[in-house]
Amino acid sequence: MDMDPYPQQLPTLQQLGVDEPTVTSATEVATAWFNAFSTAVASPNVAGILDLFLEDGFWKDVLALTWDFRSLEGRDAIKNLLEHRLVPTGLVDLRLSEEPFRAPELQKLFPDLVLLRLSFDFGTKVGKGKGTCYLAPVPGGSWKAYMLFTCLESLNDFPEQTGPLRRQDAEHGIWEERRRREVELADGDPTVIVIGAGHTGLEIAARLKALGVSTLVIDKKARVGNSWRDRYKALCLHDTVWYNQMPYMPFPQTWPVFSPASKLADWLEGYANHLELNVWTSSTITKTEWDDNLKTWTVEINRGGQETRTLKVKHLVFATGFGGRARVPDIPGKEAFKGEAVHSSEFASASNCIGKKAIVIGACNSGHDIAQDFFNNGIDVTMYQRSSTYVISIEGVKQLLGGIYNDTLPTDLADIYNGTLPFAVVRRLHQRIVAHFAQTIDKELLDGLAKVGFKTNLGLHGTGVFPLVFERAGGYYFDVGTSKHVINGDIRIKNGSAIERFTEKGLKFADGTDIEADIVVFATGYGDPRDSMREICGQQVADNVNPVWGLTEEGEVNGVWRDCGHENLWFGIGNLGLSRFHSRHLALQIKAVEAGILKRSEVKF
């Protein structure tokens, strides 16, 4: 592709110099490789392990060896990992899995890309984990590792209090009082405060509770779920129900594929209640202080003006969403505008605007949803597109996610498979998938949008949605039905010219055109996720916090779910799928710190 900055190449048959392999038993191939791998690990024989990898192979690790999120590319990087971390980690009990859905399997991803997937279990000195490996055929009939993934799942001495380890005693007449004391922190301060009672904050709290870590969730809103309930009423999730499941309490089989936001809000309220999470609503932090000697936070909380509580805790977790402050372009002349101009975070429903004209600035998910809401209410609406948008149909989304997120594959295993691929590989795979979708299932959609002047793209360097999510947190639309109204003219499009200024009756553009409006909605996203942290913790703390969103050179998210640069300060950010998977990893790190297992200064390499 033109100006493609990515050096990695997929291990195609041509690249490897082999013909399509004929495999009579995937298990035999996997067993031969895995036995050699296990023997080399046990020795330990770093050179022997490296010989089992392609020269440009990957080892991706989540906590198991590195207590971090790392993607090591090439034998030199893997060698560095193993020389520093193999012996201290103590990989043991490696076992090739032949369980349903995890048994070795030959996969023909494309006509020229054939890999063999195997899954395994392993132990370390402190815990247990799951691994996945993709083997590629090489000349001579043997196979070498292209991608290997190791992921810590549990701590040996601190198993989750679920299943057979759940509470066993019958609480005759005492449950209500126990819960009252827990919620009010009558028996002592918690270890962790989670800020934000949306899906991410609740999932983190649920994971910590399962590990026996006392946790308080606080939220400024009056009810759990209001972070979704208070958004524009037309909002529906754009990911499928199978991708959006939550830990410990899955959605029922009757749950719709695309959940309305208000329905999800009610579910979150029930989730907090049924999992007995300690939540203070209508509460705000008025002051924090970090004690670097004691490694504690002193936190002052205003509980809705009724009381002020001061707590000493070990960890603060910010789960306040993808962005910080609402981002609104500074457009001259706003004071002259006779109508209403609001950010999407302040917009509730188009039903309040009957008989008016509307402009929606922004043409991604929120912009489309709000424009659809205006159309549904019979309101004249124009959507202003500032730059081209990556658009994928819901059928495309289902195909992207449906291979592993469905009614058949267990969600925990789907998360492992989804997390296996290093981001460099995801980019290369999606360049092929995205181009294929654009020429097949989405061709009619994209052609229709082009005819009415709506500008589309195929993502950064043709890589689709995932780099846009992780590098820009925007720039895409999952078409849940609005594009047809753009195509047939129900929702008008304006682009190709900058907004010059507000007028009394609407907006004037640089090309000389005017569009009248009684309401202008800015669906223009949010700022830095660190904004709320900076307001609560102060600039001195913020100065030690690394960028949170965006990707490292290895393709891992900068400061979310992992060390952010300031001790005992954490960020949890993600959609329901990401938060479900990585809330476990954040909870494991906090538990390991509290148990004296994790001393980060000892594991850097």
Side-chain angles (χ1 to χ4, degrees):
M1 313 196 104
D2 291 342
M3 304 299 291
D4 187 337
Y6 311 132
Q8 299 86 3
Q9 298 298 321
L10 293 173
T12 61
L13 299 175
Q14 181 179 6
Q15 188 89 3
L16 296 168
V18 297
D19 296 326
E20 183 172 342
T22 301
V23 175
T24 56
S25 171
T27 298
E28 286 184 9
V29 172
T31 300
W33 183 90
F34 191 73
N35 286 345
F37 177 71
S38 300
T39 299
V41 167
S43 298
N45 180 357
V46 171
I49 296 172
L50 294 175
D51 190 53
L52 295 169
F53 279 78
L54 296 177
E55 288 285 349
D56 57 353
F58 293 84
W59 188 316
K60 180 177 178 179
D61 182 67
V62 174
L63 305 186
L65 279 79
T66 62
W67 283 109
D68 201 356
F69 292 60
R70 299 294 300 270
S71 290
L72 292 310
E73 178 184 353
R75 286 187 179 179
D76 287 346
I78 296 171
K79 180 174 183 284
N80 186 44
L81 165 69
L82 296 174
E83 287 180 343
H84 286 85
R85 297 301 306 156
L86 182 59
V87 171
T89 299
L91 283 180
V92 293
D93 300 330
L94 278 75
R95 184 182 63 84
L96 181 67
S97 178
E98 296 188 41
E99 300 168 2
F101 307 116
R102 298 186 72 208
E105 178 180 280
L106 189 70
Q107 297 187 335
K108 191 172 184 178
L109 303 182
F110 297 102
D112 63 343
L113 183 61
V114 180
L115 301 175
L116 191 151
R117 186 184 69 197
L118 62 89
S119 298
F120 60 98
D121 300 295
F122 63 89
T124 72
K125 292 178 180 179
V126 301
K128 294 179 175 61
K130 287 186 172 11
T132 307
C133 184
Y134 283 86
L135 304 179
V138 296
S142 60
W143 295 72
K144 290 185 182 291
Y146 174 50
M147 299 176 286
L148 187 139
F149 177 57
T150 45
C151 182
L152 187 68
E153 291 271 286
S154 63
L155 298 173
N156 291 334
D157 295 335
F158 306 100
E160 286 192 339
Q161 304 299 296
T162 59
L165 298 179
R166 73 181 79 197
R167 182 184 291 271
Q168 299 287 332
D169 52 317
E171 298 182 275
H172 296 292
I174 62 172
W175 176 79
E176 290 88 349
E177 176 60 14
R178 174 175 67 80
R179 284 297 298 139
R180 185 195 69 78
R181 292 185 66 83
E182 288 177 349
V183 171
E184 293 302 317
L185 309 178
D187 299 314
D189 294 349
T191 302
V192 180
I193 288 178
V194 176
I195 303 160
H199 64 273
T200 299
L202 297 179
E203 287 176 328
I204 293 168
R207 298 285 195 186
L208 287 166
K209 181 182 178 72
L211 289 172
V213 179
S214 59
T215 302
L216 172 68
V217 183
I218 67 166
D219 199 288
K220 63 185 178 181
K221 293 182 178 292
R223 288 174 64 188
V224 171
N226 275 4
S227 57
W228 288 95
R229 196 179 284 114
D230 291 348
R231 297 189 67 189
Y232 54 89
K233 295 187 184 303
L235 177 61
C236 277
L237 299 190
H238 294 78
D239 302 317
T240 66
V241 62
W242 303 282
Y243 179 71
N244 288 329
Q245 294 286 6
M246 297 182 69
Y248 312 120
M249 200 170 101
F251 297 123
Q253 290 292 306
T254 55
W255 198 266
V257 173
F258 301 105
S259 175
S262 55
K263 183 177 179 69
L264 176 65
D266 291 345
W267 177 268
L268 294 178
E269 196 165 43
Y271 186 86
N273 288 331
H274 294 315
L275 294 185
E276 299 185 5
L277 306 181
N278 301 329
V279 183
W280 289 358
T281 52
S282 301
S283 297
T284 55
I285 293 178
T286 54
K287 183 180 179 182
T288 64
E289 184 177 347
W290 167 249
D291 188 321
D292 198 44
N293 294 318
L294 297 177
K295 308 301 182 186
T296 59
W297 296 92
T298 301
V299 183
E300 187 178 275
I301 302 173
N302 182 331
R303 298 189 66 185
Q306 301 301 309
E307 67 168 341
T308 297
R309 292 280 294 271
T310 300
L311 307 176
K312 286 192 180 296
V313 303
K314 297 295 291 296
H315 302 266
L316 287 183
V317 180
F318 282 85
T320 49
F322 267 103
R325 302 184 189 95
R327 188 162 47 204
V328 178
D330 184 15
I331 299 173
K334 186 176 179 181
E335 67 282 355
F337 181 48
K338 300 297 185 182
E340 182 183 10
V342 298
H343 188 265
S344 60
S345 59
E346 304 169 293
F347 177 77
S349 173
S351 61
N352 302 322
C353 306
I354 303 299
K356 297 182 178 181
K357 294 181 178 181
I359 298 175
V360 179
I361 298 176
C364 298
N365 276 341
S366 294
H368 278 79
D369 286 350
I370 294 169
Q372 176 79 51
D373 191 22
F374 280 122
F375 168 73
N376 289 346
N377 282 275
I379 294 165
D380 181 298
V381 58
T382 298
M383 183 161 55
Y384 174 65
Q385 185 184 32
R386 297 179 296 166
S387 58
S388 62
T389 308
Y390 173 63
V391 179
I392 182 173
S393 67
I394 282 304
E395 181 58 34
V397 173
K398 288 180 178 178
Q399 289 195 29
L400 274 181
L401 298 176
I404 53 175
Y405 291 102
N406 50 52
D407 277 326
T408 303
L409 194 66
T411 304
D412 284 350
L413 181 54
D415 285 340
I416 290 290
Y417 286 155
N418 190 47
T420 294
L421 305 184
F423 202 72
V425 178
V426 171
R427 285 189 301 228
R428 282 300 185 214
L429 289 173
H430 279 262
Q431 283 179 327
R432 292 185 171 205
I433 294 168
V434 167
H436 174 70
F437 280 7
Q439 293 301 315
T440 54
I441 59 174
D442 285 348
K443 181 173 173 46
E444 183 178 352
L445 167 66
L446 298 177
D447 287 349
L449 290 171
K451 286 180 181 177
V452 296
F454 188 92
K455 297 178 180 179
T456 64
N457 61 58
L458 297 182
L460 300 172
H461 307 287
T463 57
V465 67
F466 292 111
L468 289 170
V469 171
F470 291 112
E471 296 184 41
R472 296 188 180 178
Y476 56 90
Y477 173 55
F478 292 172
D479 180 24
V480 291
T482 303
S483 287
K484 65 184 178 185
H485 297 297
V486 173
I487 291 170
N488 65 23
D490 295 328
I491 297 170
R492 290 190 295 277
I493 294 298
K494 173 68 177 178
N495 57 27
S497 179
I499 299 173
E500 188 174 273
R501 58 183 171 84
F502 277 98
T503 66
E504 284 191 9
K505 297 182 178 181
L507 291 173
K508 186 174 186 62
F509 294 84
D511 61 6
T513 60
D514 291 86
I515 299 179
E516 292 187 0
D518 302 290
I519 180 170
V520 176
V521 181
F522 290 92
T524 46
Y526 297 85
D528 192 328
R530 295 174 292 181
D531 287 346
S532 56
M533 177 275 301
R534 190 175 288 108
E535 293 171 0
I536 289 172
C537 296
Q539 192 60 45
Q540 185 175 351
V541 169
D543 286 343
N544 292 311
V545 176
N546 301 323
V548 173
W549 207 242
L551 298 177
T552 67
E553 290 184 0
E554 293 180 1
E556 300 294 339
V557 179
N558 274 310
V560 183
W561 310 113
R562 62 194 296 203
D563 177 32
C564 71
H566 191 290
E567 201 168 359
N568 293 11
L569 179 65
W570 310 85
F571 290 86
I573 302 174
N575 57 25
L576 276 88
L578 286 171
S579 295
R580 175 189 59 247
F581 186 41
H582 291 312
S583 57
R584 178 197 299 273
H585 306 133
L586 177 52
L588 285 172
Q589 289 173 86
I590 289 176
K591 183 65 179 182
V593 169
E594 290 306 297
I597 296 169
L598 171 55
K599 298 176 182 178
R600 202 168 296 280
S601 61
E602 298 178 3
V603 297
K604 292 181 178 179
F605 65 94

